[in-house]
């Protein structure tokens, strides 16, 4: 349960996760049950939660525990990270400390903020030197007798008190130890600042760069400092809602399955085609050619009706779907040699493993 919740909570808010978590645990309460699930079932339950490779890896890891580790979960952070797909340093530390009582620290976004403020670490908090130092601090600080509680308390402190924009320093249980706060009130620090560490003056991998000194208007939120965000990749994709009359008269839509690796692996979508940046005029023509691959019959570009554009932001991609629709008359035989495809009603579409972006398209 800790493992499932930690994976679901990566990059996702608690309020969003709760319902998914409950449905997941109800459907696959044990590792053995999850190991027997298909990727299709996993994607269907995960639909809308984003970062779909997480569900896939969770299921792959469950299979590995059952088939290669005789059903026994690894119990240390080192083994969890080494043996289980999708389990990184943070998740391994969380499972090992919370579930198995290993005295090992964890470093997530909340812990980074708290520790950087406690120790006035002003260098780029995503740099390897800072990350290594934060892990060393977390491992040194963790309570040996109650590591899971300590780690959860430290993360909770970052989530509720030492928040990014307006931290509640007056109510903070560790304010006496906080060097950022001492600096704000001009008090001498009870322990030396990283800035005072004699051996690396002027070239310290943890101090703020000389070009970015303390900004008194920001107070403790001078820490942590983040590197400038990379601009997301801009992509345009033509997508077509192909519609036919189903046997009971209700409309049905063609969905096709994405490849089993890469972005949105194994999910279903309307037939779609990434477009080169400068393509506008030819767009309909190339989409029509592309549709022919599924329908096994020529598709006239002029029959495609432009509906509008749907924008969806993935973590690293700014995606614009250029949406067309096409109503088909008569029966259509799908080409079985193409990627898996099927006709679905609107209700079936929403129950299928489709991404949030595709739900926006319909
Ligand atoms: S005193 Fe303020 S800045 Fe320091 S750890 Fe507490 S909430 Fe964060």
């Amino acid at each position: 349960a800790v493992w499932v919740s930690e994976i679901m909570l990566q990059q996702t808010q608690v309020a969003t996760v709760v319902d998914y978590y409950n449905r997941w645990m109800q459907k696959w309460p044990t590792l053995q049950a999850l190991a027997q699930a298909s990727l299709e079932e996993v994607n269907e339950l995960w639909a809308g939660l984003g970062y779909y490779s997480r569900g896939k890896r969770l299921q792959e890891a469950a299979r590995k525990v059952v088939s290669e580790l005789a059903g026994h979960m690894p119990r240390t952070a080192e083994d969890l990270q080494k043996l289980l797909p999708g389990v990184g340093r943070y998740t391994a530390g969380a499972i090992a400390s919370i579930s198995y009582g290993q005295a090992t620290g964890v470093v997530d976004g909340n812990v980074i903020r708290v520790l950087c403020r406690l120790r006035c670490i002003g260098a780029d908090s995503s740099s390897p030197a800072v990350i290594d130092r934060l892990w060393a601090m977390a491992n040194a600080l963790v309570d040996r007798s109650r590591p899971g509680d300590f780690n959860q308390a430290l993360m909770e402190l970052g989530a509720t008190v030492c928040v990014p924009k307006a931290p509640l320093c007056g109510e903070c249980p560790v304010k006496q130890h906080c060097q950022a706060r001492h600096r704000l009130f001009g008090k001498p620090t009870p322990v030396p600042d990283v800035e005072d560490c004699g051996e690396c003056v002027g070239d310290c991998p943890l101090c703020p760069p000389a070009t970015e000194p303390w900004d008194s208007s920001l107070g403790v939120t001078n820490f942590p400092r983040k590197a400038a965000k990379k601009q997301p990749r801009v992509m345009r994709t033509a997508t077509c809602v192909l519609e036919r009359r189903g046997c009971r008269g209700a409309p049905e839509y063609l969905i096709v399955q994405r490849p089993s690796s890469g972005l949105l692996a194994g999910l279903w979508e309307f037939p779609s085609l990434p477009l080169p940046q400068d393509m506008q005029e030819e767009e309909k023509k190339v989409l029509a050619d592309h549709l022919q691959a599924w329908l096994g019959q020529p598709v006239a570009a002029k029959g495609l009706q432009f509906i509008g554009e749907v924008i969806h932001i993935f973590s690293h991609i700014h995606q614009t779907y250029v949406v067309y629709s096409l109503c088909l008359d008569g029966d259509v035989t799908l080409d079985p040699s193409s990627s898996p495809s099927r006709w679905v009603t609107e209700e079936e579409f929403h129950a299928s493993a489709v991404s949030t972006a595709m739900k926006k398209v319909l």
Side-chain angles (χ1 to χ4, degrees):
V2 171
W3 180 20
V4 173
S5 65
E6 289 296 345
I7 298 283
M8 285 189 171
L9 284 166
Q10 289 167 9
Q11 324 278 343
T12 312
Q13 303 278 336
V14 177
T16 311
V17 163
V18 172
D19 184 43
Y20 285 89
Y21 172 82
N22 288 336
R23 282 190 288 128
W24 182 286
M25 294 308 295
Q26 208 167 18
K27 187 156 185 164
W28 301 300
T30 63
L31 274 170
Q32 286 69 17
L34 179 57
Q36 284 171 8
S38 67
L39 177 60
E40 184 72 18
E41 289 175 296
V42 167
N43 278 337
E44 272 175 21
L45 201 146
W46 204 275
L49 198 53
Y51 299 94
Y52 292 86
S53 60
R54 294 180 298 172
K56 181 171 180 250
R57 297 256 193 83
L58 200 46
Q59 194 260 358
E60 285 169 2
R63 279 196 181 162
K64 185 167 182 188
V65 173
V66 170
S67 62
E68 295 176 29
L69 305 174
H72 301 302
M73 271 291 277
R75 287 178 166 249
T76 64
E78 297 71 25
D79 283 350
L80 283 157
Q81 194 180 347
K82 193 167 71 187
L83 297 173
L84 299 187
V87 173
R89 199 173 180 183
Y90 163 77
T91 309
I95 299 172
S97 61
I98 297 170
S99 300
Y100 302 122
Q102 187 190 7
T104 186
V106 294
V107 174
D108 72 346
N110 287 319
V111 173
I112 289 175
R113 187 166 54 257
V114 173
L115 294 182
C116 283
R117 289 175 181 171
L118 279 173
R119 285 293 173 266
C120 280
I121 295 174
D124 170 7
S125 62
S126 61
S127 72
V130 172
I131 291 292
D132 281 353
R133 181 59 68 95
L134 294 174
W135 274 99
M137 286 168 70
N139 283 329
L141 285 171
V142 68
D143 186 302
R144 266 50 207 159
S145 59
R146 294 171 62 191
D149 288 345
F150 177 90
N151 286 336
Q152 290 180 85
L154 189 57
M155 291 188 276
E156 196 65 12
L157 182 69
T160 57
V161 178
C162 194
V163 291
K165 287 210 175 111
L168 309 170
C169 296
E171 299 168 23
C172 178
V174 295
K175 60 183 177 224
Q176 278 90 348
H177 305 280
C178 179
Q179 293 182 12
R181 186 159 191 269
H182 288 303
R183 191 163 172 169
L184 187 64
F185 292 107
K187 291 184 187 162
T189 53
V191 278
D193 251 358
V194 285
E195 289 89 337
D196 301 333
C197 46
E199 74 257 36
C200 52
V201 167
D203 197 19
C204 177
L206 305 180
C207 289
T211 49
E212 292 178 33
W214 170 269
D215 177 347
S216 51
S217 69
L218 294 177
V220 296
T221 64
N222 274 286
F223 307 101
R225 193 178 74 85
K226 285 195 192 124
K229 253 196 173 174
K230 263 206 209 155
Q231 285 300 315
R233 197 150 45 96
V234 175
M235 283 187 69
R236 277 172 66 80
T237 297
T239 190
C240 184
V241 180
L242 270 168
E243 186 180 328
R244 72 169 190 187
R245 286 284 126 198
C247 48
R248 272 164 282 153
E252 290 183 343
Y253 307 97
L254 181 69
I255 55 173
V256 301
Q257 193 169 29
R258 291 182 61 84
S260 59
S261 60
L263 182 71
L264 307 174
L267 263 68
W268 294 78
E269 63 183 9
F270 298 116
S272 300
L273 183 68
L275 299 167
Q277 276 310 314
D278 47 1
M279 182 180 280
Q280 295 280 344
E281 311 253 306
E282 296 273 285
E283 201 168 274
K284 272 170 109 172
K285 165 92 179 68
V286 293
L287 182 59
D289 291 347
H290 185 65
L291 294 173
Q292 193 173 327
W294 275 284
L295 298 179
Q297 64 183 49
V299 174
K302 61 178 172 16
L304 291 170
Q305 193 189 345
F306 174 69
I307 301 296
E309 293 191 343
V310 168
I311 293 173
H312 189 77
I313 314 286
F314 294 96
S315 57
H316 54 299
I317 299 173
H318 185 288
Q319 174 72 267
T320 301
Y321 290 99
V322 186
V323 184
Y324 290 88
S325 80
L326 180 64
C327 288
L328 298 170
D329 300 323
D331 205 16
V332 180
T333 313
L334 299 175
D335 182 351
S337 63
S338 298
S339 311
S341 56
R342 63 182 205 256
W343 291 98
V344 289
T345 62
E346 187 171 349
E347 201 183 1
E348 287 164 345
F349 172 83
H350 285 288
S352 301
V354 291
S355 66
T356 306
M358 282 297 126
K359 287 184 180 167
K360 283 192 202 168
V361 167
L362 189 63

